Amino acid sequence: MKNLRFHRLHKQFSMFLRFLMVFLVSFTIRRKNLPIPTLHSSFADMALKGHSHLTFEKNEHAAKDFGNIHHFMPSAVLHPKSVSDISSTIKYIFEMGTTSELTVAARGSGHSLAGQAQAYRGVVINMKSLREPEMSFHTGELPYVDVSAGELWINILHESLKRGLAPKSWTDYLHLTVGGTLSNAGISGQAFRHGPQINNVYELQVVTGKGDVLTCSEEQNTDLFYGVLGGLGQFGIITRARIALETAPKMVKWIRVLYSDFSIFSKDQEHLISSDTSFDYIEGFAIINRTGLLNKWRSSFNAKDPLQASQFNSEGRILYCLEVAKYFNPGNSDLVDQNIDTLLSELNYIKCTLFLSEVSYVDFLERVHLSEIKLREKGLWEVPHPWLNLLIPRSGIHEFAQEVFGNILADTSNGPVLIYPVNKSSWRNRTSMVTPDEDIFYLVAFLSSAIPSSKGKDGLEHILMRNEKILRFCERSLVGVKQYLAHYGTQEEWKAHFGTHWEVFSQRKSTYDPLSILAPGQNIFRKATAFRQQGPQDKNKLSI
């Protein structure tokens, strides 16, 4: 009895210390003359001892992301070891009501582009420190894995392969957290068949903007389940996910072919994504004025006709590369080769540009990470990345290609330009993710890198101006274009982005995060406070 009483008193005292810690953070934020370092961070550590801890200094990493353009410094970073500490932190901030300006952002690998995972003068939660629950596999008729939202997809890949399994849908880059990609969509070359990653989740655990910890699925807390998937972190912080698995292949036949005519290129892509016996991965990219293109592929691909390939000239041309892959196991390689030959015979690519490679499944999925290693060695990874990702309706893709690839990007692209179609029928239609209102739409991703000191065409200012030209063209000439990984300056722009889905989106915000505590970096909603005076920047923001 005495031990039970002591336990209760200890728990109450610990909760009081945590409340006081958050209050002090809020107090500091509202009084600019009291610097953050004067907070007793050791006091906070005592309150969270054995579980989580907060840092109040040297948090510059939380004010930086892959985009490397926007930098908003938080007041504190929470490094949680348990879901309950995330819940407690949010609950205390929620209970302060409008007396505090504190907001909360969940940060995974920091691969956002425009400060979406940052929280100016708020609390950033370092989700990679969360390892609850431990990875747990179910290998029955419908296999799945339960993972912490702070887990990296690359780790899930390695662990699931030990059991002969793997997730169905991927992103091109696997060193991202589960919670991060599920809060957006998670799109790659498997999306035409399996849909994005948000299609391949059975269940989630979520901490709402009130601090409530809820389990949700298609059968339980259904509205929250669909809202959080692709919900940009607005309704809750994903802390656990149950991810669908399938039998994993061991090897991949990886193929690239070139086109000089966009109409033929897109027709072949659409043919492939509509076939039941197609490739397992289908993407593509535009190549603008690249000298010696095929020679650069020879280190990892083999030309089907080396002599003809050596005579191919890519300089000064706009070309389109179809990139496909077929998964297989060593025992059925010959049968897969026959299937590939049949599929390729139905296409109209430039015959001398057929390049093939055979790699392990892991090496194929890690292809972007291998490029990252090379760029890091050259000091070209941590540079500004003014990326622009668009979802283009099929009805407008040819006009888009003619204007953008023919005029706006006539000289150079400053990085890869992905372009490939997906079937909307493969996507869940109740999530927060918005797509064009056509059965087939294209992902077009301008994955640019800027040289920090440059004032030329490879500089940040020039690339941002180019992106703006592309967006203006879409607004002026095309209907139904949507941004992916979007960043807007006003709520009116967000309303236009969500269109008819805005009412549902804003209602979910009112239900699950009524004080707009979560994900301030998305710049969709603004937290209401008792002491804020409305300024010009608040004009188009909704405070609820």
Side-chain angles (χ1 to χ4, degrees), residues 45-72:
D45 287 340
M46 184 188 305
L48 301 172
K49 189 174 182 180
H51 299 283
S52 309
H53 70 279
L54 284 117
T55 54
F56 300 94
E57 298 177 328
K58 298 181 180 179
N59 290 328
E60 288 77 12
H61 67 282
K64 185 179 180 181
D65 57 26
F66 181 72
N68 207 12
I69 299 172
H70 301 267
H71 303 90
F72 303 109

PDB file of all heavy atoms in Angstrom, residues 45-72:
ATOM      1  N   ASP A  45      15.348  17.677 -17.531  1.00  0.00           N
ATOM      2  CA  ASP A  45      15.881  16.337 -17.643  1.00  0.00           C
ATOM      3  C   ASP A  45      15.509  15.499 -16.426  1.00  0.00           C
ATOM      4  O   ASP A  45      15.244  14.300 -16.524  1.00  0.00           O
ATOM      5  CB  ASP A  45      17.408  16.384 -17.791  1.00  0.00           C
ATOM      6  CG  ASP A  45      17.827  16.873 -19.170  1.00  0.00           C
ATOM      7  OD1 ASP A  45      16.998  16.811 -20.082  1.00  0.00           O
ATOM      8  OD2 ASP A  45      18.974  17.323 -19.306  1.00  0.00           O
ATOM      9  N   MET A  46      15.488  16.115 -15.242  1.00  0.00           N
ATOM     10  CA  MET A  46      15.122  15.404 -14.026  1.00  0.00           C
ATOM     11  C   MET A  46      13.679  14.910 -14.136  1.00  0.00           C
ATOM     12  O   MET A  46      13.354  13.784 -13.764  1.00  0.00           O
ATOM     13  CB  MET A  46      15.261  16.316 -12.804  1.00  0.00           C
ATOM     14  CG  MET A  46      14.988  15.622 -11.470  1.00  0.00           C
ATOM     15  SD  MET A  46      14.947  16.797 -10.095  1.00  0.00           S
ATOM     16  CE  MET A  46      16.531  17.597 -10.262  1.00  0.00           C
ATOM     17  N   ALA A  47      12.811  15.759 -14.690  1.00  0.00           N
ATOM     18  CA  ALA A  47      11.401  15.392 -14.816  1.00  0.00           C
ATOM     19  C   ALA A  47      11.213  14.241 -15.793  1.00  0.00           C
ATOM     20  O   ALA A  47      10.313  13.431 -15.638  1.00  0.00           O
ATOM     21  CB  ALA A  47      10.592  16.597 -15.272  1.00  0.00           C
ATOM     22  N   LEU A  48      12.050  14.157 -16.829  1.00  0.00           N
ATOM     23  CA  LEU A  48      11.891  13.150 -17.865  1.00  0.00           C
ATOM     24  C   LEU A  48      12.939  12.045 -17.745  1.00  0.00           C
ATOM     25  O   LEU A  48      13.153  11.295 -18.670  1.00  0.00           O
ATOM     26  CB  LEU A  48      11.993  13.814 -19.239  1.00  0.00           C
ATOM     27  CG  LEU A  48      10.958  14.905 -19.513  1.00  0.00           C
ATOM     28  CD1 LEU A  48      11.297  15.622 -20.818  1.00  0.00           C
ATOM     29  CD2 LEU A  48       9.560  14.339 -19.560  1.00  0.00           C
ATOM     30  N   LYS A  49      13.605  11.987 -16.620  1.00  0.00           N
ATOM     31  CA  LYS A  49      14.702  11.037 -16.421  1.00  0.00           C
ATOM     32  C   LYS A  49      14.227   9.612 -16.650  1.00  0.00           C
ATOM     33  O   LYS A  49      13.187   9.200 -16.146  1.00  0.00           O
ATOM     34  CB  LYS A  49      15.270  11.165 -15.005  1.00  0.00           C
ATOM     35  CG  LYS A  49      16.549  10.364 -14.788  1.00  0.00           C
ATOM     36  CD  LYS A  49      17.129  10.652 -13.417  1.00  0.00           C
ATOM     37  CE  LYS A  49      18.431   9.883 -13.213  1.00  0.00           C
ATOM     38  NZ  LYS A  49      19.012  10.144 -11.883  1.00  0.00           N
ATOM     39  N   GLY A  50      15.024   8.858 -17.390  1.00  0.00           N
ATOM     40  CA  GLY A  50      14.683   7.483 -17.690  1.00  0.00           C
ATOM     41  C   GLY A  50      13.760   7.343 -18.881  1.00  0.00           C
ATOM     42  O   GLY A  50      13.509   6.240 -19.342  1.00  0.00           O
ATOM     43  N   HIS A  51      13.223   8.422 -19.364  1.00  0.00           N
ATOM     44  CA  HIS A  51      12.312   8.365 -20.510  1.00  0.00           C
ATOM     45  C   HIS A  51      12.826   9.310 -21.596  1.00  0.00           C
ATOM     46  O   HIS A  51      13.738   9.002 -22.322  1.00  0.00           O
ATOM     47  CB  HIS A  51      10.890   8.741 -20.065  1.00  0.00           C
ATOM     48  CG  HIS A  51      10.331   7.815 -19.021  1.00  0.00           C
ATOM     49  ND1 HIS A  51       9.852   6.576 -19.334  1.00  0.00           N
ATOM     50  CD2 HIS A  51      10.202   7.953 -17.682  1.00  0.00           C
ATOM     51  CE1 HIS A  51       9.442   5.970 -18.237  1.00  0.00           C
ATOM     52  NE2 HIS A  51       9.638   6.789 -17.216  1.00  0.00           N
ATOM     53  N   SER A  52      12.225  10.461 -21.699  1.00  0.00           N
ATOM     54  CA  SER A  52      12.604  11.424 -22.724  1.00  0.00           C
ATOM     55  C   SER A  52      13.485  12.510 -22.132  1.00  0.00           C
ATOM     56  O   SER A  52      13.663  12.591 -20.916  1.00  0.00           O
ATOM     57  CB  SER A  52      11.342  12.056 -23.314  1.00  0.00           C
ATOM     58  OG  SER A  52      10.425  11.065 -23.705  1.00  0.00           O
ATOM     59  N   HIS A  53      14.009  13.357 -23.003  1.00  0.00           N
ATOM     60  CA  HIS A  53      14.705  14.547 -22.524  1.00  0.00           C
ATOM     61  C   HIS A  53      14.529  15.675 -23.527  1.00  0.00           C
ATOM     62  O   HIS A  53      14.229  15.444 -24.697  1.00  0.00           O
ATOM     63  CB  HIS A  53      16.194  14.274 -22.278  1.00  0.00           C
ATOM     64  CG  HIS A  53      16.987  14.058 -23.541  1.00  0.00           C
ATOM     65  ND1 HIS A  53      17.014  12.851 -24.206  1.00  0.00           N
ATOM     66  CD2 HIS A  53      17.793  14.900 -24.252  1.00  0.00           C
ATOM     67  CE1 HIS A  53      17.792  12.950 -25.267  1.00  0.00           C
ATOM     68  NE2 HIS A  53      18.276  14.173 -25.327  1.00  0.00           N
ATOM     69  N   LEU A  54      14.647  16.895 -23.022  1.00  0.00           N
ATOM     70  CA  LEU A  54      14.552  18.085 -23.862  1.00  0.00           C
ATOM     71  C   LEU A  54      15.908  18.748 -23.968  1.00  0.00           C
ATOM     72  O   LEU A  54      16.717  18.690 -23.046  1.00  0.00           O
ATOM     73  CB  LEU A  54      13.549  19.079 -23.276  1.00  0.00           C
ATOM     74  CG  LEU A  54      12.088  18.725 -23.474  1.00  0.00           C
ATOM     75  CD1 LEU A  54      11.440  18.511 -22.137  1.00  0.00           C
ATOM     76  CD2 LEU A  54      11.388  19.813 -24.244  1.00  0.00           C
ATOM     77  N   THR A  55      16.136  19.368 -25.102  1.00  0.00           N
ATOM     78  CA  THR A  55      17.326  20.194 -25.271  1.00  0.00           C
ATOM     79  C   THR A  55      16.886  21.611 -25.609  1.00  0.00           C
ATOM     80  O   THR A  55      15.956  21.810 -26.399  1.00  0.00           O
ATOM     81  CB  THR A  55      18.233  19.648 -26.391  1.00  0.00           C
ATOM     82  OG1 THR A  55      17.468  19.507 -27.600  1.00  0.00           O
ATOM     83  CG2 THR A  55      18.808  18.294 -26.013  1.00  0.00           C
ATOM     84  N   PHE A  56      17.555  22.581 -24.990  1.00  0.00           N
ATOM     85  CA  PHE A  56      17.219  23.984 -25.195  1.00  0.00           C
ATOM     86  C   PHE A  56      18.337  24.730 -25.924  1.00  0.00           C
ATOM     87  O   PHE A  56      18.177  25.889 -26.282  1.00  0.00           O
ATOM     88  CB  PHE A  56      16.957  24.661 -23.848  1.00  0.00           C
ATOM     89  CG  PHE A  56      15.818  24.032 -23.092  1.00  0.00           C
ATOM     90  CD1 PHE A  56      16.057  23.047 -22.155  1.00  0.00           C
ATOM     91  CD2 PHE A  56      14.510  24.406 -23.336  1.00  0.00           C
ATOM     92  CE1 PHE A  56      15.017  22.457 -21.458  1.00  0.00           C
ATOM     93  CE2 PHE A  56      13.463  23.829 -22.661  1.00  0.00           C
ATOM     94  CZ  PHE A  56      13.716  22.847 -21.707  1.00  0.00           C
ATOM     95  N   GLU A  57      19.451  24.062 -26.116  1.00  0.00           N
ATOM     96  CA  GLU A  57      20.593  24.665 -26.800  1.00  0.00           C
ATOM     97  C   GLU A  57      21.065  23.716 -27.899  1.00  0.00           C
ATOM     98  O   GLU A  57      20.748  22.523 -27.903  1.00  0.00           O
ATOM     99  CB  GLU A  57      21.732  24.934 -25.814  1.00  0.00           C
ATOM    100  CG  GLU A  57      21.367  25.910 -24.703  1.00  0.00           C
ATOM    101  CD  GLU A  57      22.519  26.079 -23.711  1.00  0.00           C
ATOM    102  OE1 GLU A  57      23.257  25.094 -23.517  1.00  0.00           O
ATOM    103  OE2 GLU A  57      22.669  27.168 -23.160  1.00  0.00           O
ATOM    104  N   LYS A  58      21.830  24.283 -28.827  1.00  0.00           N
ATOM    105  CA  LYS A  58      22.403  23.513 -29.933  1.00  0.00           C
ATOM    106  C   LYS A  58      21.320  22.727 -30.684  1.00  0.00           C
ATOM    107  O   LYS A  58      21.477  21.543 -30.988  1.00  0.00           O
ATOM    108  CB  LYS A  58      23.490  22.576 -29.417  1.00  0.00           C
ATOM    109  CG  LYS A  58      24.660  23.307 -28.771  1.00  0.00           C
ATOM    110  CD  LYS A  58      25.731  22.350 -28.281  1.00  0.00           C
ATOM    111  CE  LYS A  58      26.886  23.124 -27.652  1.00  0.00           C
ATOM    112  NZ  LYS A  58      27.946  22.217 -27.139  1.00  0.00           N
ATOM    113  N   ASN A  59      20.232  23.419 -30.987  1.00  0.00           N
ATOM    114  CA  ASN A  59      19.118  22.815 -31.712  1.00  0.00           C
ATOM    115  C   ASN A  59      19.047  23.276 -33.162  1.00  0.00           C
ATOM    116  O   ASN A  59      17.988  23.216 -33.792  1.00  0.00           O
ATOM    117  CB  ASN A  59      17.794  23.139 -31.005  1.00  0.00           C
ATOM    118  CG  ASN A  59      17.647  22.414 -29.686  1.00  0.00           C
ATOM    119  OD1 ASN A  59      18.146  21.303 -29.518  1.00  0.00           O
ATOM    120  ND2 ASN A  59      16.978  23.046 -28.732  1.00  0.00           N
ATOM    121  N   GLU A  60      20.174  23.743 -33.668  1.00  0.00           N
ATOM    122  CA  GLU A  60      20.183  24.274 -35.039  1.00  0.00           C
ATOM    123  C   GLU A  60      19.712  23.232 -36.059  1.00  0.00           C
ATOM    124  O   GLU A  60      19.142  23.588 -37.098  1.00  0.00           O
ATOM    125  CB  GLU A  60      21.587  24.759 -35.407  1.00  0.00           C
ATOM    126  CG  GLU A  60      22.015  26.042 -34.708  1.00  0.00           C
ATOM    127  CD  GLU A  60      22.434  25.809 -33.258  1.00  0.00           C
ATOM    128  OE1 GLU A  60      22.601  24.622 -32.869  1.00  0.00           O
ATOM    129  OE2 GLU A  60      22.588  26.793 -32.527  1.00  0.00           O
ATOM    130  N   HIS A  61      19.969  21.949 -35.786  1.00  0.00           N
ATOM    131  CA  HIS A  61      19.552  20.903 -36.731  1.00  0.00           C
ATOM    132  C   HIS A  61      18.039  20.891 -36.926  1.00  0.00           C
ATOM    133  O   HIS A  61      17.552  20.546 -38.005  1.00  0.00           O
ATOM    134  CB  HIS A  61      20.013  19.535 -36.217  1.00  0.00           C
ATOM    135  CG  HIS A  61      19.330  19.110 -34.956  1.00  0.00           C
ATOM    136  ND1 HIS A  61      19.688  19.605 -33.719  1.00  0.00           N
ATOM    137  CD2 HIS A  61      18.293  18.259 -34.742  1.00  0.00           C
ATOM    138  CE1 HIS A  61      18.911  19.064 -32.791  1.00  0.00           C
ATOM    139  NE2 HIS A  61      18.065  18.255 -33.376  1.00  0.00           N
ATOM    140  N   ALA A  62      17.295  21.292 -35.884  1.00  0.00           N
ATOM    141  CA  ALA A  62      15.830  21.300 -35.972  1.00  0.00           C
ATOM    142  C   ALA A  62      15.312  22.500 -36.738  1.00  0.00           C
ATOM    143  O   ALA A  62      14.110  22.595 -37.012  1.00  0.00           O
ATOM    144  CB  ALA A  62      15.224  21.266 -34.573  1.00  0.00           C
ATOM    145  N   ALA A  63      16.196  23.443 -37.058  1.00  0.00           N
ATOM    146  CA  ALA A  63      15.822  24.618 -37.852  1.00  0.00           C
ATOM    147  C   ALA A  63      16.346  24.478 -39.275  1.00  0.00           C
ATOM    148  O   ALA A  63      16.465  25.463 -40.002  1.00  0.00           O
ATOM    149  CB  ALA A  63      16.379  25.885 -37.207  1.00  0.00           C
ATOM    150  N   LYS A  64      16.633  23.246 -39.668  1.00  0.00           N
ATOM    151  CA  LYS A  64      17.191  22.997 -40.991  1.00  0.00           C
ATOM    152  C   LYS A  64      16.525  21.769 -41.588  1.00  0.00           C
ATOM    153  O   LYS A  64      16.166  20.839 -40.871  1.00  0.00           O
ATOM    154  CB  LYS A  64      18.710  22.775 -40.883  1.00  0.00           C
ATOM    155  CG  LYS A  64      19.429  22.627 -42.205  1.00  0.00           C
ATOM    156  CD  LYS A  64      20.921  22.449 -41.975  1.00  0.00           C
ATOM    157  CE  LYS A  64      21.661  22.296 -43.301  1.00  0.00           C
ATOM    158  NZ  LYS A  64      23.118  22.096 -43.102  1.00  0.00           N
ATOM    159  N   ASP A  65      16.337  21.779 -42.884  1.00  0.00           N
ATOM    160  CA  ASP A  65      15.791  20.601 -43.549  1.00  0.00           C
ATOM    161  C   ASP A  65      16.484  20.402 -44.892  1.00  0.00           C
ATOM    162  O   ASP A  65      17.407  21.146 -45.255  1.00  0.00           O
ATOM    163  CB  ASP A  65      14.272  20.703 -43.703  1.00  0.00           C
ATOM    164  CG  ASP A  65      13.820  21.952 -44.454  1.00  0.00           C
ATOM    165  OD1 ASP A  65      14.606  22.479 -45.271  1.00  0.00           O
ATOM    166  OD2 ASP A  65      12.686  22.408 -44.232  1.00  0.00           O
ATOM    167  N   PHE A  66      16.054  19.395 -45.623  1.00  0.00           N
ATOM    168  CA  PHE A  66      16.694  19.064 -46.889  1.00  0.00           C
ATOM    169  C   PHE A  66      16.586  20.205 -47.888  1.00  0.00           C
ATOM    170  O   PHE A  66      17.484  20.426 -48.695  1.00  0.00           O
ATOM    171  CB  PHE A  66      16.062  17.790 -47.461  1.00  0.00           C
ATOM    172  CG  PHE A  66      16.655  17.346 -48.758  1.00  0.00           C
ATOM    173  CD1 PHE A  66      17.926  16.790 -48.805  1.00  0.00           C
ATOM    174  CD2 PHE A  66      15.950  17.457 -49.945  1.00  0.00           C
ATOM    175  CE1 PHE A  66      18.486  16.374 -50.005  1.00  0.00           C
ATOM    176  CE2 PHE A  66      16.489  17.046 -51.145  1.00  0.00           C
ATOM    177  CZ  PHE A  66      17.762  16.505 -51.181  1.00  0.00           C
ATOM    178  N   GLY A  67      15.485  20.940 -47.841  1.00  0.00           N
ATOM    179  CA  GLY A  67      15.335  22.080 -48.745  1.00  0.00           C
ATOM    180  C   GLY A  67      16.407  23.125 -48.533  1.00  0.00           C
ATOM    181  O   GLY A  67      16.840  23.788 -49.475  1.00  0.00           O
ATOM    182  N   ASN A  68      16.832  23.287 -47.273  1.00  0.00           N
ATOM    183  CA  ASN A  68      17.929  24.194 -46.918  1.00  0.00           C
ATOM    184  C   ASN A  68      17.680  25.623 -47.394  1.00  0.00           C
ATOM    185  O   ASN A  68      18.603  26.337 -47.778  1.00  0.00           O
ATOM    186  CB  ASN A  68      19.251  23.667 -47.485  1.00  0.00           C
ATOM    187  CG  ASN A  68      20.447  24.132 -46.665  1.00  0.00           C
ATOM    188  OD1 ASN A  68      20.301  24.655 -45.567  1.00  0.00           O
ATOM    189  ND2 ASN A  68      21.639  23.949 -47.208  1.00  0.00           N
ATOM    190  N   ILE A  69      16.420  26.033 -47.314  1.00  0.00           N
ATOM    191  CA  ILE A  69      16.045  27.388 -47.707  1.00  0.00           C
ATOM    192  C   ILE A  69      15.407  28.126 -46.539  1.00  0.00           C
ATOM    193  O   ILE A  69      15.695  29.286 -46.291  1.00  0.00           O
ATOM    194  CB  ILE A  69      15.070  27.350 -48.907  1.00  0.00           C
ATOM    195  CG1 ILE A  69      15.742  26.689 -50.121  1.00  0.00           C
ATOM    196  CG2 ILE A  69      14.601  28.760 -49.272  1.00  0.00           C
ATOM    197  CD1 ILE A  69      14.805  26.424 -51.278  1.00  0.00           C
ATOM    198  N   HIS A  70      14.530  27.447 -45.799  1.00  0.00           N
ATOM    199  CA  HIS A  70      13.828  28.031 -44.659  1.00  0.00           C
ATOM    200  C   HIS A  70      14.444  27.508 -43.363  1.00  0.00           C
ATOM    201  O   HIS A  70      14.673  26.306 -43.215  1.00  0.00           O
ATOM    202  CB  HIS A  70      12.335  27.681 -44.709  1.00  0.00           C
ATOM    203  CG  HIS A  70      11.651  28.166 -45.948  1.00  0.00           C
ATOM    204  ND1 HIS A  70      11.012  29.386 -46.015  1.00  0.00           N
ATOM    205  CD2 HIS A  70      11.523  27.610 -47.170  1.00  0.00           C
ATOM    206  CE1 HIS A  70      10.509  29.549 -47.227  1.00  0.00           C
ATOM    207  NE2 HIS A  70      10.802  28.480 -47.944  1.00  0.00           N
ATOM    208  N   HIS A  71      14.689  28.427 -42.410  1.00  0.00           N
ATOM    209  CA  HIS A  71      15.296  28.043 -41.137  1.00  0.00           C
ATOM    210  C   HIS A  71      14.576  28.766 -40.004  1.00  0.00           C
ATOM    211  O   HIS A  71      14.702  29.985 -39.861  1.00  0.00           O
ATOM    212  CB  HIS A  71      16.785  28.381 -41.122  1.00  0.00           C
ATOM    213  CG  HIS A  71      17.562  27.747 -42.238  1.00  0.00           C
ATOM    214  ND1 HIS A  71      17.735  28.373 -43.462  1.00  0.00           N
ATOM    215  CD2 HIS A  71      18.173  26.548 -42.337  1.00  0.00           C
ATOM    216  CE1 HIS A  71      18.444  27.575 -44.250  1.00  0.00           C
ATOM    217  NE2 HIS A  71      18.728  26.460 -43.590  1.00  0.00           N
ATOM    218  N   PHE A  72      13.780  28.017 -39.225  1.00  0.00           N
ATOM    219  CA  PHE A  72      13.025  28.579 -38.108  1.00  0.00           C
ATOM    220  C   PHE A  72      13.448  27.876 -36.823  1.00  0.00           C
ATOM    221  O   PHE A  72      13.251  26.677 -36.665  1.00  0.00           O
ATOM    222  CB  PHE A  72      11.520  28.410 -38.343  1.00  0.00           C
ATOM    223  CG  PHE A  72      11.043  29.036 -39.627  1.00  0.00           C
ATOM    224  CD1 PHE A  72      10.639  28.257 -40.700  1.00  0.00           C
ATOM    225  CD2 PHE A  72      11.022  30.414 -39.766  1.00  0.00           C
ATOM    226  CE1 PHE A  72      10.214  28.826 -41.878  1.00  0.00           C
ATOM    227  CE2 PHE A  72      10.590  31.005 -40.952  1.00  0.00           C
ATOM    228  CZ  PHE A  72      10.189  30.212 -42.006  1.00  0.00           C
TER     229      PHE A  72
END
